[in-house]
Amino acid sequence: MLEALKFVHRATADKDIIRMLTHICVHDGKLQGADSRMAIEADCPELAGNSFTAPAEKFIKAVLACKGEPTIVANDNGTIKVSHKRFRVTLPTLKVSDYPVQTFKPENAVKITAPTGFINALRKIFPFISQDASRPWSLGVCLRPEYLYATNNVTMARVPCQWDGPIINLPRYVIQELLDIDKPVTEIWASPSSISFQFEGAWMRAQLYTDSWPESVTKMFDVEREYEAVPENLLEAVEQLLPFCPDVKFPSIHFKDGAITTANGLQSAELGFDWHGTGIYRAEVLKLVLGVARQWTPSTYPKPVFFKGDGIQGMMVGVKI
């Protein structure tokens, strides 16, 4: 029971703007939590035959405080009693009839085959998702046939994935929940506005972004390019220099013949390095790329630099002088 409660609690609202959405709904041997964007439901046979809603955080704390399998009784006076041996908690409830119970399948949804390795693909692409609300379309992952795409407006990446559903923009917060849940997805249903994921004994349903990705982004990867190997110790070198960047709000790493440096300033650093060519990159962007890249095209700077790694391709934009 406790695991099911914690599982659905991830979807309950944090703020008491709509009081009902801070509650967990118990119905038909199942638990459901929901806010304005997402709903999660899990099987809970221990509460079969009960029908009530209870404040999520207090309900979970009461079960934890029992320090054993609790007995839960719904009373006619709008309360539940959670007890174990000599311990007892009484909590207020609200009517299930007032709770916006969600169903698993969205209206006008189509069934989609759950891609092999779907969660791993999302985990690989997740660090490249933007958090810049000025470009709403970039706040999610674009699911297209053969690839998932993500961008943080300085880098863009794609990961192979055999998606056979419609082209959709899957929100970052949904992906975060899928990664936190970390269970195999057994079934997917999607409509133009919603998507549902089935797990063993549970499901999640969420709103999709309606902001579409520009069609042009996928064409960036269609050109053949000549790649070279990323030096094995390059990431280590960048991490060695990073603490000494003079501008902590805009740390940058500079490449020049025979060395890698920070920007000039009251503090700075330089590291002799077997390197030929020039380039300037945001330090955090460079670290992100070097964390996955095995090959790249640094000679294309100041134009975008493309990279390839284990099951991932992408590009990054350097700092223009």
Side-chain angles (χ1 to χ4, degrees), residues 148-166:
L148 312 182
Y149 292 84
T151 181
N152 58 18
N153 303 320
V154 183
T155 65
M156 181 178 295
R158 74 176 186 180
V159 171
C161 184
Q162 296 304 312
W163 178 257
D164 67 356

Side-chain angles (χ1 to χ4, degrees), residues 229-243:
V230 175
E232 290 185 5
N233 54 348
L234 182 54
L235 176 57
E236 181 182 351
V238 171
E239 291 174 336
Q240 188 176 355
L241 293 169
L242 184 56

Side-chain angles (χ1 to χ4, degrees), residues 41-42 67 79 82 114 118 133-134 144 181-182 194 196 217 229 263 268:
E41 185 167 282
K67 297 181 179 180
T79 63
V82 183
F118 184 56
S134 67
R144 301 178 65 95
I181 290 169
D182 197 23
S194 300
S196 294
V217 298
S268 62

Side-chain angles (χ1 to χ4, degrees), residues 306-317:
F306 285 78
F307 62 87
K308 295 193 295 186
D310 182 17
I312 190 169
Q313 294 175 281
M315 53 81 71
M316 68 173 170
V317 177

Side-chain angles (χ1 to χ4, degrees), residues 97-167:
S97 59
D98 294 334
Y99 190 89
V101 175
Q102 300 289 311
T103 57
F104 170 62
K105 295 180 184 179
E107 292 184 10
N108 303 316
V110 295
K111 187 176 181 180
I112 300 165
T113 303
T116 302
F118 184 56
I119 298 300
N120 287 336
L122 291 175
R123 183 174 287 109
K124 188 168 291 188
I125 201 79
F126 185 78
F128 293 89
I129 305 173
S130 173
Q131 299 187 62
D132 180 6
S134 67
R135 295 185 179 180
W137 60 271
S138 69
L139 298 174
V141 166
C142 181
L143 276 60
R144 301 178 65 95
E146 299 185 358
Y147 291 98
L148 312 182
Y149 292 84
T151 181
N152 58 18
N153 303 320
V154 183
T155 65
M156 181 178 295
R158 74 176 186 180
V159 171
C161 184
Q162 296 304 312
W163 178 257
D164 67 356
I167 297 173

